[in-house]
Amino acid sequence: MTRMKTHTKEIVGLQKSGAMLFCSSDNVVAARLAEALGDVGMLVQEVPSTEALARRLGELSPKAVFLDFTLQADEPGKLLRSADLARLLARVAPTVPRIAVGMLAQPQGTLAAMRAGLTEFVDPFSSPDEVHEVVLRLLQGTEQLDDKPTAHRSVLLLGARAGVGTSTMAVHLAGILQERLAQSAITRNGAADRPMRGPVVTGSALPLADRVGIMDLGWPVGDCQLYLNVSSEFDVVEAVRNLRRLDATLLTSALAHTDSGVSVVSLPRDMAAMREVSQPDSLLLFDRLRHHFGFLLADAGGFNHPEFVAGLARGAQQTWLVTDQSVGSLVSLAGVIKELTAQHVDLSHLRLVVNKYDERYGMTAQQIAERFGIQLVGTLPDRTLQLVVCTNQGKLLHEVSERDAYVRALQQIADMMTADFLAPNAKGNWLSGWLPGVHRRLVTPNNH
């Protein structure tokens, strides 16, 4: 990747507007494009390689990406390279607006952009006002995702293989997080000393910003709904069909939710229905959900679609790889990391959770983390018997035994995830607490 330069007019004002990436080495075109954009945003001009594109998107978080489809005699393969970048962007960042930059007097560039799947085309030389209008329209469309601003806290839970306990962890963590969010809402409303007996409020009474959502993509289908003892016919396919009207009102009324406020949307029972759902629309659904909920957990344990899972990983703040200590799980974990690497996922966002943990099984959690070069979030002790008993009673373990070792381990994780809720004046966001060595505070002695 060749780093070029940043084009600005009023740097302080433009920094507030956010960066826009222009994939081009042509300084003349970049200057005209920056001039046409005016104060809409700060234009960052670079020539990213396909290998580095996903990483740079994560670093810049651009509000839009421009691709250069102008002809240059000294760059005979330029249109092909821009088309390749356009197709890669459609996979790795489907929700980021993609705009072709060309010249109306060069129809070859327009045709190449259309064949690459781009629907927006601007010419900064002949119609700079149109550049301004197109970009504003696209940005306003993405900003309408927010009914109420949240910090977009989201975690993808990705099981190394089916059966390692990803869905069980997801529903218990969601329930514990929901308790924290509900308590925070009470504190904000000046009722911190009100006694808490049972669910604080019903799920429908909490705004979505104070609720936890689960996007249940695990296999077998619907396990999260089963464990939460809820059901709804409004599944992922229905949600995608209603993307344009997927606002807070529809989410509150249509999604299955527990009394405490945890909401969940699952895959359809008839998986054949997923054939009508495109990958970009499914990723857009994830993006919509994370904009509405205080926390969004995506459970993809056992979900076998590397490109889609990689898209989720790029959209989530963190991806937690869930494994146990068995040889089969560790081999599968290596395969998952290899697939994510092949899909250009930034591995620095990966974290590790070791479930059903017992040091007597062999490799310690820290040794596993070091072996794969992933920071350890924590360990969850093997409490299979207790978890199955509660599930068979239609309960979650934290609802029955708040002091169980499994529950205590998840409570510590939830406390760190919600630190900014409980201490709003603390420096940094919820990710800033995830420092090297944090696992030492999370390893919970086994309780057999």
Side-chain angles (χ1 to χ4, degrees):
M1 178 187 71
T2 302
R3 181 88 47 92
M4 298 301 289
K5 55 185 177 181
T6 300
H7 298 262
T8 69
K9 291 177 66 179
E10 297 178 10
I11 189 67
V12 175
L14 296 181
Q15 284 176 332
K16 295 178 181 178
S17 301
M20 298 182 188
L21 178 62
F22 181 36
C23 301
S24 174
S25 61
D26 193 321
N27 294 336
V28 175
V29 177
R32 291 300 295 266
L33 179 59
E35 184 178 354
L37 285 173
D39 59 357
V40 174
M42 179 172 61
L43 189 66
V44 178
Q45 179 196 0
E46 295 185 359
V47 186
S49 64
T50 54
E51 295 78 13
L53 179 60
R55 176 177 57 81
R56 284 303 287 151
L57 291 176
E59 293 170 352
L60 287 173
S61 297
K63 302 179 76 172
V65 177
F66 295 92
L67 296 151
D68 190 355
F69 282 87
T70 60
L71 298 179
Q72 277 183 271
D74 58 344
E75 286 192 55
K78 181 178 181 180
L79 296 185
L80 289 175
R81 286 192 294 272
S82 293
D84 287 342
L85 284 176
R87 295 186 184 98
L88 179 58
L89 278 167
R91 294 204 315 270
V92 304
T95 61
V96 177
R98 303 177 297 279
I99 307 167
V101 178
M103 297 183 186
L104 296 177
Q106 298 175 345
Q108 305 98 311
T110 307
L111 182 60
M114 292 176 60
R115 288 174 174 170
L118 297 175
T119 58
E120 301 293 344
F121 184 91
V122 296
D123 183 347
F125 291 89
S126 64
S127 52
D129 290 341
E130 184 179 342
V131 175
H132 198 273
E133 292 173 6
V134 167
V135 175
L136 278 181
R137 171 171 55 80
L138 292 173
L139 295 183
Q140 287 170 356
T142 58
E143 288 168 359
Q144 287 174 359
L145 294 176
D146 291 315
D147 274 359
K148 180 178 180 180
T150 69
H152 311 319
R153 303 166 183 87
S154 54
V155 174
L156 170 63
L157 301 176
L158 187 56
R161 65 193 303 184
V164 297
T166 310
S167 296
T168 300
M169 175 186 172
V171 295
H172 282 84
L173 180 59
I176 294 169
L177 282 172
Q178 187 60 70
E179 293 174 354
R180 303 294 191 272
L181 266 64
Q183 182 60 59
S184 175
I186 289 177
T187 302
R188 289 199 311 271
N189 294 330
D193 37 343
R194 184 181 302 166
M196 294 179 61
R197 298 185 179 92
V200 180
V201 288
T202 62
S204 59
L206 284 169
L208 293 184
D210 291 320
R211 286 167 63 173
V212 179
I214 300 177
M215 191 172 179
D216 178 13
L217 304 172
W219 188 267
V221 170
D223 270 7
C224 286
Q225 286 197 32
L226 179 66
Y227 298 155
L228 292 171
N229 200 23
V230 297
S231 63
S232 172
E233 295 182 359
F234 192 84
D235 53 33
V236 168
V237 173
E238 284 297 318
V240 169
R241 287 172 181 164
N242 290 275
L243 271 176
R244 291 185 178 274
R245 52 187 293 264
L246 203 62
D247 57 11
T249 301
L250 179 59
L251 290 172
T252 300
S253 60
L255 294 190
H257 62 262
T258 66
D259 287 342
S260 64
V262 176
S263 298
V264 57
V265 58
S266 300
L267 293 170
R269 292 292 176 182
D270 180 8
M271 285 297 289
M274 286 295 292
R275 295 172 185 167
E276 65 181 80
V277 177
S278 69
Q279 179 180 320
D281 281 348
S282 299
L283 292 175
L284 184 57
L285 172 62
F286 171 77
D287 198 54
R288 292 282 177 93
L289 293 175
R290 76 184 184 93
H291 275 76
H292 284 291
F293 285 96
F295 271 96
L296 179 65
L297 305 179
D299 170 19
F303 192 83
N304 186 23
H305 193 309
E307 285 191 4
F308 177 62
V309 170
L312 289 173
R314 284 186 290 268
Q317 282 182 304
Q318 285 190 0
T319 296
W320 293 1
L321 303 179
V322 184
T323 186
D324 57 33
Q325 293 160 280
S326 68
V327 172
S329 293
L330 296 181
V331 171
S332 296
L333 177 62
V336 170
I337 296 173
K338 184 177 179 180
E339 287 180 346
L340 293 174
T341 302
Q343 294 293 328
H344 311 293
V345 172
D346 186 351
L347 300 186
S348 67
H349 292 168
L350 301 184
R351 300 291 185 269
L352 180 69
V353 177
V354 183
N355 194 22
K356 305 177 184 178
Y357 182 69
D358 190 319
E359 288 190 359
R360 295 173 296 180
Y361 289 153
M363 288 184 69
T364 67
Q366 184 55 32
Q367 287 172 331
I368 296 172
E370 292 174 354
R371 166 66 180 81
F372 292 101
I374 303 174
Q375 185 176 322
L376 183 64
V377 171
T379 64
L380 303 176
D382 188 355
R383 304 291 285 164
T384 303
L385 173 61
Q386 290 75 11
L387 288 166
V388 171
V389 169
C390 287
T391 300
N392 290 343
Q393 296 173 348
K395 300 285 187 179
L396 296 179
L397 185 54
H398 69 275
E399 298 170 341
V400 175
S401 179
E402 190 176 354
R403 300 307 301 165
D404 185 271
Y406 183 89
V407 176
R408 291 203 309 271
L410 282 177
Q411 286 173 338
Q412 289 179 296
I413 294 175
D415 284 342
M416 287 191 299
M417 293 173 70
T418 57
D420 59 333
F421 279 92
L422 304 180
N425 295 324
K427 294 183 180 179
N429 58 25
W430 73 286
L431 294 177
S432 64
W434 301 84
L435 301 174
V438 71
H439 62 276
R440 298 190 187 98
R441 301 195 300 274
L442 293 176
V443 175
T444 305
N446 292 312
N447 184 9
H448 294 286

